[in-house]
Amino acid sequence: MWLTLGRRIGGLLIVMFLVAAMVFFLTRLAPGDPAALMLGDQATAEDIAHLRQVYGLDKPILVQFVLWLKEIATGNLGQSIFLQRPVTQAIAERAEPTFFLALFSVSIAALVGIPAGIVSAVWRGRVVDQIVSGLAMLAANIPSFWLGLIFIQFFAVRLGWFPVAGYGDPGAPFVERIAHLALPATVLGIVNSALIIRFTRASMLDVLSDDYIRTARSKGISEIRVVLRHAFGNALVPIITVVGLTAALLVGGAIVTETVFGLPGIGNLVVSAVLRRDYPVIQGALIVVAGIYVLINLLIDIIYTFVDPRVRY
Amino acid sequence: MEQSPILLFFRRMFRRKLVLVACIVLFVIVLMALLAPWVAPYEPTAIRVIRRLKPPNELNWLGTDEFGRDILSRIIYGARASLGIGFAVVMVSMTVGTLFGLLAGYFRPLDGAVMRVVDALMALPDILLAIFLVAVLGASAFNVVLALSIVYTPRVIRVVRASTLVIRELPFVEAARALGVSARRILSVHILLNVASPVLVQATFIFAYAVLAEAGLSFLGAGVPPELPTWGTMIASGQQYADDAFWVVLFPGLAIVLAALSLQIVGDGLRDMLDPKLRKAL
């Protein structure tokens, strides 16, 4: 097991290295000199030359890359051009709404998706299956920002049940801030439940036709117990994967929803950084998001061994 | 009586009514996009301030936007850009993805390198990678296509590689190799023809994803320039009027849902038909 784990971590480091390389070199393709960008319109040629030297931008690009890698390996993601603070600090300040949004969204998606998928598999081909599968298909093809705008219009503007946008006052009690996540988390929960429904359904159908299910039924075990204990227990691995990956992709993938609802999260940070060409922030955010993604992947692999004794590394 | 394979294809494909309906919807949308100048009741850019933000009425079936432009006409013209970008993304990612997928699946030494790059590209959420690429390349229709192609090519590579790994071990490939057929010909004839159906299925899904992603990018202001009517830019520019004129965002969004949903249903239909194993599971 340790050997496999070691190999997995090695592969993970390679992927992170490639992400870093891609982010670094593609950013250098961007038009405009970072130093000139940092100093603004009034900068003189000497100012720019001086800053290039300070940031090491006058060195060969490979040297710059190695120096940059060294910095990110020690947790230093550089300095934001516009926010006047380190990128790590900017990301940390924005982490809370993104974290809770991802957590609530994936919880809603799983709470809706897993039971719906089970029901759909058990009554395969019946009306309930067709309705659930149809709704899942619909949910997968709704743009989240559009659904967000509709929800804001209906539940916040017309009915006044929820705050329209934002994340409340930074000093406000936690519960009040969390209330701002109700609508966006519902939107993302609905949109992301689609994949979970499909995976749960397929995985359950796969298991339900196995011999031991027939054996369990013939022993006279109640149908509920057969479905929930015997079948669901064995269908769990793919379901855990899809729930975990959904959570991982929500950390940086909720950009559009964060923007619609004016949530000051990491996605929002990236959008404003893109519009202002604040490259250190964009690079830093991408590295952090990719890092979280590969870590969650590793975590999923480790969870497998606990859930399914057949999986042993 | 012998049935022609084409007839059989369509008969199997349309066994499910929903697939037939989705094909018709798609056909109508594509036709509308192609014939936009003749189908659209108004010029998409014709400004008539006097009729701004009118709800749906007999002159403007889907209402007018903040400049008095006809929303139906803009949706029809918007289909050109939205579907055009989606189609271009499909073509590029299929071509590049199939090529690298075949190479990675067939030549083992290449496999590791290609798949690590694929892993790295897939470690970032689609929209985040896309917005980063557009930010670096600059916002234009061409760069949106380029960025979304980079985002979706890894999916094609994975599918093609997985199929290639299976097919390369089959006896007919072994026979071809034993007969001295070149690797190039084995790949471009024997294996390519056999990975065509999963690629085709993947293409319809990527088409749907690309339409959704383009709308998202335009909405964030990182997509095509706002002057060009696409379904995404229509929602983006309309959102500040949503409180009083809800139709401004409602109808372009419905167009996106309709197009993406139809593509997905057609893709599902294709997959069910081409893969009898999946027909049982899903």
Side-chain angles (χ1 to χ4, degrees), chain A residues 154-227:
Chain A
F154 194 75
F155 293 110
V157 176
R158 304 264 151 101
L159 295 174
W161 290 355
F162 298 98
V164 173
Y167 194 53
D169 198 35
F174 182 65
V175 184
E176 206 172 290
R177 277 177 286 155
I178 292 297
H180 284 81
L181 295 176
L183 274 188
T186 309
V187 167
L188 284 176
I190 291 174
V191 172
N192 285 291
S193 67
L195 201 63
I196 297 181
I197 292 177
R198 292 190 124 191
F199 265 75
T200 308
R201 181 175 181 274
S203 177
M204 284 295 286
L205 282 179
D206 219 28
V207 172
L208 279 170
S209 60
D210 279 345
D211 289 340
Y212 58 84
I213 296 296
R214 199 177 326 130
T215 311
R217 281 191 182 131
S218 66
K219 285 201 305 192
I221 296 173
S222 71
E223 187 62 23
I224 289 185
R225 201 175 150 79
V226 169
V227 169

Side-chain angles (χ1 to χ4, degrees), chain A residues 119-131 133 201 205, chain B residues 282:
Chain A
V119 165
S120 192
V122 170
W123 284 284
R124 180 189 171 197
R126 306 280 184 83
V127 178
V128 69
D129 176 28
Q130 281 167 4
I131 291 174
S133 298
R201 181 175 181 274
L205 282 179
Chain B
L282 285 163

